[in-house]
Every structure is written in structure tokens, then in C-alpha cells.
Amino acid sequence: MSEPLAIPLGDLADCFEGVIPSVVATLDATGLPNVTYLSQVYLVDAAHVALSNQFFSKTAANVRATGRAAVVVSSGRTGEQYALDLAFDRSLDHGEVFERMSAHLRVIATLHGLGEVMALRSAEIYRVLAVRRIPDPPGTAPPPPRPGVDPRLSLAAGIAADLAAETDSEAMIERVLGGLTGEFGFEAAMLLTLDEAAGRLAAVASRGYREGGAGAEVALGDGPIGIAGETRRIVRLSDMSRGRRMAAAVTGEPLATVIPLPGLADPYSQIAVPLIGRGRLMGVLFAESARRFRFDAADEAALGLLAGQLAAGLRLAEIDAAETAAAPALPAARPGGGRAFQVKYFAHDDSLFIDGDYLIKGVAGRLLAHFLAAHVRDGRRDFTNREIRLEPSLRLPGLKDNLETRLILLRRRLEEKAAPVRLARPGRGQIRLELDGAPVLEIVDA
């Protein structure tokens, strides 16, 4: 068993954020040195680190010859520097460590517009033989003291307990987002859920933004949110000063049918956490801040706990809602009451416009068109999750696609647009159409 390191690797956590590039030095068989910059040094455990291998031809050859390397890592928070003496252990091209490093590099590449240039070839695992702090230059201010006991896991446990006691999907979502911007003090947060058929994540609810953004979409694999969803791994960025934020929600879409993704003007820190329920991706929980180093490993653990509890709660609430009986029927609306408003629905992409103004598309657009068509046809205003799921024309994929969150998204989008149609909830699993006039519905099949 090896001796414990004089400076524990856990004390160097800020140095493994990738904010300041690290430097790796190696020797060839004749003793000739090679020094190069390194994209990422990843903390594996208390005795090992992983180096990202993207262009490592000379470094890799030297390590094959000697089995040794030296790395200088720097804290982006305090400027402290440490030298690590390393012994090569193994090379990985798959597995948890490789996938997490690959996801992080993909996000950096996306933000810098580098495409596949930064694709990870392998994660090189090294055993740390020694850690030495590099002395600061004379006159340098001492680093700030390290924080004491961290309360975030306790905060997360309290919110998780509230989720476990809740049965309503919207209340669960509000509790999590309220907890992140309340107890945790995050500036902004949002929840996006997966539209598996479209390969996109849609914003359901948000806190801390000037615009609500219900219905804004992110393609899987696009930016921090999309990459967290595609890889099903947490993505955390500590300093985005050299990058750019995602300005567009979904590329390749006509601007008239794109809802802008909510976002801070100048975010420096972001964290995206996938919601996994029974092995399936359900969505992504996202938070961002205008501060550098706003999120750390403790936030990863806390948000991972909340994401897991929220995924389980939403799935159970969906099952309950699907079994709920019908709401008391309202009397049929009298034709011609109130002002008429125009509704145009395009069946090819399920996009829906009210009085010429774009509202929503996808499953949410299909649902609203179904409600309005039933109302125009026979005056209906009451519907249930159960009957919606059994309606073949809606082409819903079953419980794996959360209908409750789709309805929450639609209801919030209607509220944000101050539309003349709204969705009320007389009870669990029940939907009631509320109208400020008479809809004139036009369905375009092609």
C-alpha cells in the first residue's frame, strides 16, 4: 500500500476545473524533455488523475518509453499552483471516466466553435506519486481560507423529502426550481423535458430569467444542456469567459417558429444534470450564474440527488394522472360567444399560431389543436389524461413520454403569451379549456 500524499488531491479540487490550462512535461529515452499544454486533468480518486489525450503523439511516445510524467495544475479561483509527479497506469477509451471527460471537452468545443478538433482519443490514467505546492512570488496575497462544513447535501435532502411527499407534477417542479433559487441561492435555473421522437429537450419551467421561455428547445448534443442529455452525465463549467453562450435554441428552424431559450446575458458558470427515470432520460435540470466557480463537486452531488428524486416523482405522478377519472363536465359553450380569434394548425410539424402569432409546436401543439377541434366540433371543454393517451390521432408514445409535463409546458406558454385560450386543472389528471372568445380553427395538412 502506497504512502498517503503529503497534500491530498481533494485539496486541489479547483485545479481540476480546466479553467487554466495545465502543463505536462515528459522525457524521451535519451532524456530530452518535451513540454506541452493540456486541455484537462481529471481527478479520478484519492490517488489517481486522468490526462486528456487529444494530440498526445510526442507525450504518449515519451510515456511509453519511461512510464513517467510531471504536470503543473493551477487553481482558477486562487492562482495557486501545484506540481504532480505521475506514473502511468492505463489508457481508457470507454467507461465512466472517459465519458465524463469526453462530455466536458465536447461542451468546451461547442462553446468555442471547435467542432471535432477537441475530440477525446483516450483518458490516460496516472498514479500520483507526489504533490508539491509551487511557492507564490514574493508579495503575493495569501489564498482565501477554505470553507467549513458544506450544508448543500442537507439542503438537497430536505427538498428531496418534500418531493417524496408531493403527488402533483407542477408542484414538484416548482419545489425544485424554488429550492435552487431559494435555499441554494442560484441566480437562475430551468427544467427541460425530453421529446424523444424529435430528439430535443423542451423548457417546461424556469426561475430567475426575464422571460419564462416555456417551449424553448435544445437539440440533444447541442451545448451543455444537450450534451448532458445525450451523454446522461452531469456537465459543469466553472469559467466561460473565453466561450460563448448558446444564443439560439434549435439550429436549422425558421426563426418565426423558434422560442428563445432563457439565459443570463453573461454567464460564467453553468451546470446541467440529466434526469434519469428507470434507465430512461426524462429531461435536464440546468442552472447558471454570472459568477465564476459558482458550482462545484458538492453542487454536482446535491443536484444529482434532486434530479433522481424529481425523475422518480414525475414518473409516479404520471401514472397516477393516467388512472384518474373524468372531471365533472361543463355545459357546452354557446356558439359565437365573445370575440372570434383565429387558430392555424400545421399538421406536418404540429406548429400552431393564434391570430398569426406563433405559439408552440410538437406534442404540445398537437394537444392544443386536439382540444380546440373537440370544442369547435361539440362544445367540449373537459378532458382527462386517460382519454388523451388512448386517442390514436395524438400519436403519444406511452408513459415513457411525460404527458403531465407537456401539459405544464403548454399551460405556461399560453400564460406567457396572454393567449385567449388557457388550460385549467380542476383535478389531478384533468384538463379544462378556458376561452376568451370563439376559436376559428384552420387545419393545414401539408
Side-chain angles (χ1 to χ4, degrees):
M1 185 174 179
S2 59
E3 292 292 325
L5 296 170
I7 303 176
L9 291 179
D11 289 355
L12 281 61
D14 292 344
C15 298
F16 302 119
E17 297 289 339
V19 174
I20 299 177
S22 299
V23 178
V24 57
T26 57
L27 300 174
D28 67 12
T30 68
L32 184 68
N34 179 72
V35 179
T36 188
Y37 284 104
L38 182 64
S39 297
Q40 188 176 12
V41 178
Y42 180 84
L43 179 61
V44 177
D45 56 35
H48 296 85
V49 296
L51 310 188
S52 59
N53 176 10
Q54 295 135 276
F55 325 103
F56 259 14
S57 55
K58 182 59 178 175
T59 299
N62 288 355
V63 171
R64 283 196 299 270
T66 67
R68 296 297 181 92
V71 171
V72 173
V73 295
S74 306
S75 167
R77 192 195 302 266
T78 66
E80 294 175 278
Q81 293 186 311
Y82 296 85
L84 279 59
D85 295 335
L86 308 177
F88 180 74
D89 188 336
R90 62 195 185 278
S91 181
L92 301 176
D93 60 7
H94 65 282
E96 180 65 21
V97 171
F98 175 85
E99 296 297 340
R100 288 206 66 178
M101 293 180 69
S102 179
H104 183 82
L105 288 173
R106 282 181 60 193
V107 171
I108 298 299
T110 298
L111 295 174
H112 288 77
L114 296 177
E116 296 298 317
V117 174
M118 295 182 69
L120 185 65
R121 295 180 182 177
S122 62
E124 307 295 304
I125 309 298
Y126 288 82
R127 181 166 56 87
V128 181
L129 304 176
V131 179
R132 301 182 304 281
R133 188 173 187 276
I134 298 175
D136 296 325
T140 302
R146 298 189 181 276
V149 177
D150 197 307
R152 282 169 288 184
L153 285 179
S154 295
L155 292 177
I159 297 172
D162 291 342
L163 293 179
E166 184 56 71
T167 59
D168 178 74
S169 295
E170 191 160 17
M172 293 180 197
I173 293 169
E174 284 299 302
R175 181 63 185 100
V176 169
L177 295 181
L180 295 183
T181 55
E183 289 100 306
F184 278 79
F186 295 168
E187 292 170 60
M190 76 175 87
L191 175 72
L192 303 95
T193 57
L194 177 66
D195 183 339
E196 191 168 17
R200 295 172 181 172
L201 294 151
V204 174
S206 64
R207 288 283 190 95
Y209 296 109
R210 298 180 69 178
E211 302 293 335
E217 295 181 324
V218 176
L220 287 176
D222 194 1
I225 294 170
I227 290 173
E230 183 180 71
T231 63
R232 303 187 182 190
R233 286 173 172 81
I234 296 175
V235 170
R236 175 165 55 89
L237 298 171
S238 294
D239 188 342
M240 299 171 61
S241 55
R242 298 181 183 179
R244 59 178 178 83
R245 76 174 301 275
M246 284 176 55
V250 180
T251 58
E253 294 286 339
L255 292 179
T257 60
V258 169
I259 300 171
L261 184 72
L264 299 181
D266 293 300
Y268 278 86
S269 301
Q270 294 183 333
I271 186 168
V273 183
L275 271 69
I276 308 295
R278 296 183 64 84
R280 304 188 69 92
L281 175 69
M282 295 180 62
V284 171
L285 189 60
F286 175 75
E288 60 181 345
S289 172
R291 289 168 45 193
R292 293 180 175 89
F293 283 95
R294 181 60 182 88
F295 312 115
D296 58 20
D299 291 308
E300 282 195 24
L303 268 66
L305 186 156
L306 290 179
Q309 186 66 47
L310 181 58
L314 291 177
R315 183 173 177 83
L316 289 174
E318 184 69 37
I319 294 171
D320 288 346
E323 297 173 349
T324 301
L330 290 177
R334 294 180 180 178
R339 76 169 185 87
F341 60 92
Q342 305 295 317
V343 179
K344 195 168 187 177
Y345 169 68
F346 293 87
H348 74 280
D349 65 352
D350 299 306
S351 58
L352 190 143
F353 295 73
I354 295 182
D355 288 334
D357 191 15
Y358 172 68
L359 180 78
I360 201 73
K361 65 172 177 286
V363 175
R366 200 184 312 154
L367 287 167
L368 183 55
H370 173 77
F371 299 149
L372 290 172
H375 177 75
V376 169
R377 185 177 60 249
D378 56 25
R380 284 194 64 192
R381 286 190 281 168
D382 284 296
F383 306 86
T384 68
N385 282 27
R386 179 190 295 174
E387 68 170 283
I388 292 169
R389 289 202 173 280
L390 295 176
E391 173 54 55
S393 66
L394 288 172
R395 308 187 306 281
L396 297 179
L399 283 173
K400 68 181 182 180
D401 188 28
N402 201 313
L403 176 60
E404 278 284 285
T405 56
R406 300 288 176 203
L407 293 168
I408 294 169
L409 182 161
L410 177 57
R411 184 163 59 253
R412 293 189 174 217
R413 177 64 176 165
L414 290 167
E415 291 171 356
E416 288 175 11
K417 296 291 288 183
V421 54
R422 294 175 303 280
L423 297 183
R425 304 175 67 206
R428 189 187 308 169
Q430 301 171 348
I431 306 101
R432 178 165 291 168
L433 203 61
E434 294 184 344
L435 300 165
D436 290 337
V440 178
L441 178 62
E442 178 185 358
I443 298 177
V444 181
D445 293 325

